[in-house]
Amino acid sequence: MTAQSAAGPWSDPVRIAGSGWDPSLVFVPREGAVAARDDGASHRASHRASHGVSHGASHGVSHGDYLAGDGRGADAGDRAFFHYSTGTSIRGFFIDLSTGEPLSDEVELWAGTGGNAPEGPHLYLVGGYWYLVIAEGGTSAGHAVTVARSTAIEGPYQPHPDNPVLTHRGLSSPIQSVGHADLVETPNGQWFAVVLGSRPLGGHGYQLLGRETFLVSVSWQGEADARWPVFGTDKRVALTTGLAGTPVSSAFADDFVSGTLDPGWLFIRTAHPTFARVGNGELALAPTAATLDDAGTPAFVGRRQSAHSYFAEVTVRLDDAAEHDDAAESLEGGLVARRDERHHYRITIADRGAGSDAPPGADRYAVEVITRIGDLTQVVAGASVSSGAVRLKVQAVPNLETNPITGSGFFEFSYLVSDEAGWHMLATLDSRYLSTEVAAGFTGTVIGMYAHGARRTHDDAYAANGMYSGDGGRASTSPAAHFSGWRSGADPTRTSTSADSLPQPSNSEGTRV
């Protein structure tokens, strides 16, 4: 797809035949056009023009600059060199950008140095050579960056004499699984690579934050006409770069006073959360047909856990479902630490009397901590409360110990009732069960708000009669969970080197698992 601006509008997609992943494009002059000059201008244009794609559930190719630099869309005769991973090697061929049709036979560029899954290819024209940068070893502990070069884009490629050029395998570094490098050059001629990596916890290395992006310096060394890239100091990525800049804080507050959600909020399998209404100091979520246990779209709005020591808290208020036309058998809302539908922990307030004759009182509302690990679901702690409004908190407490029998740390789940003093901790749960190593996946933990109703749901009852009317305004009859005063961010005061140092649950219902 092409566009004059990343904001769009975008053209219809041009499909390219191929079987593999991690596609990338290098834009080249038209047939008969003057070739790119072998100087600084040409290699800067070429390295800008070689773009990879997000390494997620779906892949797409992003158009970069043409060597001509005119910012056009693709016309007949515009060419690109399309290259990708088959899982065992890197292959490529020329395509017509306007149609996606091949303009040459497909060739194997390089199979790497023998590591597992050569992938993530990027091509750069620097001086008189094409440099092919790839990842090898899989995206876990064996991850590495390797490089080869050729005087022709189609090869043959000669491997770097000191491959891998960047890896942390076998090291005790806080950064692990380093790979998938992409080179960038600054306006003042400095070179860097952005790479994927992770920061695991515990002796065996449990990843809770998912894959993150790191920056490492790159220098070009060797003879002027035959240089090789050298990554970092001793092939290492440091936690800090030493570069000037403004640190990005993980602290975030949302009082939901705007009519739109902050772009940092995430949803599950939708970009249009019709189950949500925001404004006037609250976020209201109407339950959908899907629960947190389903591979669907539950009423969920969340943010990524962005620090090992991290907290999120919010006030939850439940509608009295019995007062609504679409009364549910039960209504709940709360906070969840989620890896996927089979791995999550949640603290919830539930209206156990909704849709029944149960009178309001001490036994009507319950705050519970519920775990889902694989096929197992269990209520691990609970307490009765007299109000349908409480403040809930999830606190991630990392384990900094490297003893191989220790895990990644804990999640603490607490609640606060407005007319009582102090937080009540209900449960402390082992966080390793939400890690990449246990639950799989690369995206890390997302902590957010959710709502669920046991009978009448947004998809069947609320779609016509719920949070939104046909013109986008709110209908009035559907019970919902209302959230206010979201606060989240890093909490460096909360770390642990031993399970015994963790605080115990503060009431008789509390549980440590």
Side-chain angles (χ1 to χ4, degrees):
M1 297 182 288
T2 59
Q4 296 293 327
S5 166
W10 287 85
S11 71
D12 292 334
V14 174
R15 303 189 182 279
I16 303 169
S19 179
W21 61 85
D22 290 352
S24 196
L25 290 175
V26 170
F27 301 91
V28 295
R30 301 183 187 189
E31 294 283 3
V34 177
R37 299 189 314 276
D38 184 15
D39 60 12
S42 67
H43 84 241
R44 280 193 292 273
S46 292
H47 94 256
R48 286 197 305 270
S50 178
H51 289 279
V53 297
S54 62
H55 198 75
S58 61
H59 298 293
V61 178
S62 171
H63 275 252
D65 297 335
Y66 286 88
L67 292 181
D70 57 12
R72 301 178 281 106
D75 297 324
D78 287 337
R79 299 192 305 152
F81 189 71
F82 177 78
H83 47 295
Y84 65 99
S85 170
T86 65
T88 58
S89 68
I90 308 302
R91 302 182 69 86
F93 54 94
F94 287 97
I95 63 166
D96 184 321
L97 280 172
S98 64
T99 64
E101 294 297 318
L103 298 176
S104 68
D105 293 334
E106 182 174 289
V107 296
E108 180 177 276
L109 304 182
W110 193 37
T113 63
N116 177 48
E119 58 187 350
H122 299 296
L123 279 166
Y124 310 87
L125 179 61
V126 182
Y129 285 93
W130 287 99
Y131 291 85
L132 176 59
V133 180
I134 72 169
E136 292 188 54
T139 54
S140 186
H143 213 188
V145 179
T146 57
V147 175
R149 72 182 182 190
S150 173
T151 55
I153 196 170
E154 294 177 282
Y157 280 85
Q158 170 196 3
H160 194 299
D162 197 24
N163 275 324
V165 295
L166 184 68
T167 186
H168 279 202
R169 60 195 182 198
L171 300 181
S172 59
S173 170
I175 305 171
Q176 292 293 318
S177 307
V178 173
H180 276 77
D182 198 355
L183 297 179
V184 293
E185 185 186 15
T186 67
N188 63 5
Q190 290 180 290
W191 286 78
F192 294 91
V194 287
V195 299
L196 290 179
S198 64
R199 292 183 290 154
L201 291 169
H204 282 297
Y206 295 95
Q207 302 175 50
L208 291 171
L209 304 183
R211 295 194 297 193
E212 299 175 297
T213 304
F214 296 87
L215 187 70
V216 60
S217 62
V218 174
S219 61
W220 293 88
Q221 299 181 13
E223 299 297 328
D225 58 347
R227 297 179 297 166
W228 286 105
V230 175
F231 288 67
T233 301
D234 297 328
K235 305 180 183 181
R236 305 291 187 266
V237 179
L239 278 174
T240 58
T241 64
L243 299 174
T246 302
V248 177
S249 173
S250 62
F252 178 75
D254 199 334
D255 291 313
F256 304 116
V257 295
S258 170
T260 58
L261 283 169
D262 180 88
W265 289 112
L266 304 176
F267 323 109
I268 299 174
R269 301 182 183 93
T270 184
H272 306 286
T274 58
F275 49 78
R277 178 181 61 84
V278 62
N280 299 320
E282 68 175 23
L283 170 67
L285 299 181
T288 72
T291 73
L292 292 170
D293 297 324
D294 299 324
T297 301
F300 170 88
V301 177
R303 302 184 76 85
R304 296 194 184 281
Q305 180 184 343
S306 57
H308 285 134
S309 183
Y310 187 85
F311 79 96
E313 61 180 77
V314 70
T315 297
V316 188
R317 176 180 60 84
L318 300 181
D319 277 341
D320 187 341
E323 296 178 359
H324 290 260
D325 296 339
D326 293 330
E329 292 178 353
S330 66
L331 176 66
E332 68 176 74
L335 274 176
V336 57
R338 181 187 185 274
R339 170 65 64 145
D340 57 29
E341 54 269 11
R342 289 172 52 83
H343 301 87
H344 51 79
Y345 300 152
R346 71 184 191 265
I347 181 168
T348 180
I349 180 170
D351 183 351
R352 298 184 295 199
S356 72
D357 295 330
D363 294 330
R364 176 164 182 177
Y365 298 99
V367 178
E368 296 178 328
V369 175
I370 304 171
T371 63
R372 170 69 189 267
I373 302 172
D375 294 329
L376 303 177
T377 299
Q378 182 176 356
V379 178
V380 298
S384 295
V385 293
S386 59
S387 170
V390 296
R391 191 158 183 84
L392 303 179
K393 183 177 183 179
V394 176
Q395 175 83 53
V397 182
N399 173 30
L400 303 184
E401 190 171 307
T402 58
N403 186 317
I405 67 171
T406 62
S408 53
F410 297 84
F411 283 110
E412 298 171 355
F413 295 84
S414 307
Y415 72 96
L416 175 68
V417 180
S418 60
D419 59 355
E420 298 179 6
W423 288 89
H424 300 272
M425 188 190 301
L426 274 184
T428 303
L429 305 177
D430 193 327
S431 62
R432 81 182 80 182
Y433 299 108
L434 303 188
S435 69
T436 293
E437 288 67 26
V438 174
F442 300 113
T443 56
T445 306
V446 177
I447 299 176
M449 301 160 281
Y450 81 97
H452 173 60
R455 182 166 62 88
R456 301 299 298 275
T457 62
H458 174 75
D459 286 354
D460 52 24
Y462 301 160
N465 197 14
M467 295 301 289
Y468 285 93
S469 60
D471 62 359
R474 188 192 181 200
S476 60
T477 60
S478 300
H482 302 259
F483 299 85
S484 59
W486 173 279
R487 301 292 184 269
S488 61
D491 183 0
T493 66
R494 298 304 312 279
T495 61
S496 172
T497 57
S498 167
D500 294 333
S501 68
L502 289 169
Q504 301 299 306
S506 61
N507 64 352
S508 59
E509 294 93 348
T511 302
R512 189 173 76 182
V513 178

